[in-house]
Amino acid sequence: MTDSQLIREIKDGNVQLYNELMRRYERKILAFIFHMLKNTQMEAIAEDLCNETFYKAYRSLHSFREIEASFSTWLYTIARNTVLSELRKNKSVQVSLEQSGLTPHASFDAMPEQAMLRNEKVSMVREAINSLPEKQRSALILREYDQMDYQEIANILGQTVSSVKSLLFRARASVKLQLDPYFSEPIFEESKG
């Protein structure tokens, strides 16, 4: 059953099907919220905000119009606005992206030094992403982690497609600039004599 079919059924009174919609999107929305949050109690708050997102979506489902946006775009917009509202309430507390629980792990057969270097690189990338302005960070996360197209990102962020492309360009350039000193290969000049 497609999202559209589920939504029609839910609007017609079969509210039990909302669990299926939640199941389809819960992990993605939770991961998105983890990336957006900057709060030290992130895990507890992320789950709460994910639940709040789905609650708000359920309450507003009657007003959802498919011709304006896909369900996923609409849901991500609700999640983003929920997180931004929470961040405005708790401006003083911050958390880094590596605390999100989404740390890639090195394979078991990797050497300990390689695993350490990989974790260090992952940490630097996350710090670079965390330092981005909110709209750049959101655009980058939606594009790179959630594999959304430019139009979906534009709808979620309330921007034009060209603005999204600009945000992504600036975000990538900023991350690259921050990481270049760590990831560029050193050039050794051979001295004569």
Side-chain angles (χ1 to χ4, degrees):
M1 197 178 262
T2 67
D3 288 352
S4 301
Q5 293 168 326
L6 279 173
I7 291 167
R8 266 183 259 129
E9 289 283 327
I10 294 166
K11 284 182 175 182
D12 288 342
N14 193 353
V15 294
Q16 295 86 353
L17 290 177
Y18 192 68
N19 286 332
E20 173 62 21
L21 271 180
M22 284 180 60
R23 188 192 58 74
R24 288 181 185 183
Y25 291 100
E26 188 172 27
R27 291 181 70 189
K28 287 183 178 185
I29 295 297
L30 186 58
F32 175 69
I33 290 172
F34 271 135
H35 286 297
M36 290 285 300
L37 279 177
K38 286 188 171 184
N39 192 311
T40 56
Q41 300 131 6
M42 185 184 58
E43 288 177 350
I45 290 175
E47 290 174 15
D48 290 346
L49 293 180
C50 185
N51 289 334
E52 186 176 337
T53 297
F54 282 105
Y55 177 70
K56 287 178 179 178
Y58 178 75
R59 282 193 16 215
S60 304
L61 197 59
H62 65 279
S63 66
F64 169 69
R65 290 187 302 274
E66 222 173 332
I67 52 175
E68 294 177 11
S70 70
F71 178 74
S72 65
T73 300
W74 184 69
L75 191 59
Y76 273 94
T77 303
I78 293 172
R80 179 177 179 269
N81 291 339
T82 301
V83 170
L84 292 177
S85 175
E86 186 65 28
L87 289 175
R88 279 190 290 275
K89 291 179 196 172
N90 299 305
K91 283 185 178 180
S92 63
V93 188
Q94 292 191 353
V95 74
S96 60
L97 194 57
E98 63 266 357
Q99 291 175 319
S100 70
L102 299 173
T103 307
H105 298 284
S107 64
F108 289 110
D109 54 83
M111 299 295 288
E113 296 85 10
Q114 292 169 329
M116 229 169 73
L117 287 173
R118 175 154 174 73
N119 288 339
E120 192 172 322
K121 286 180 181 180
V122 167
S123 178
M124 285 189 282
V125 169
R126 287 187 172 154
E127 282 180 35
I129 292 171
N130 276 337
S131 72
L132 294 172
E134 187 275 322
K135 281 191 179 178
Q136 287 180 22
R137 185 175 62 247
S138 294
L140 191 64
I141 289 167
L142 291 169
R143 180 71 178 168
E144 301 301 330
Y145 288 90
D146 294 321
Q147 304 295 306
M148 289 191 177
D149 64 36
Y150 296 121
Q151 187 61 55
E152 286 179 302
I153 297 168
N155 292 342
I156 290 169
L157 298 180
Q159 302 285 317
T160 64
V161 170
S162 60
S163 295
V164 166
K165 289 179 179 179
S166 178
L167 286 169
L168 287 168
F169 176 81
R170 289 193 311 258
R172 289 175 179 138
S174 178
V175 169
K176 183 181 183 318
L177 184 65
Q178 291 179 58
L179 298 177
D180 260 352
Y182 304 104
F183 294 108
S184 61
E185 294 293 319
I187 300 172
F188 296 100
E189 293 184 24
E190 202 171 311
S191 61
K192 294 182 181 178

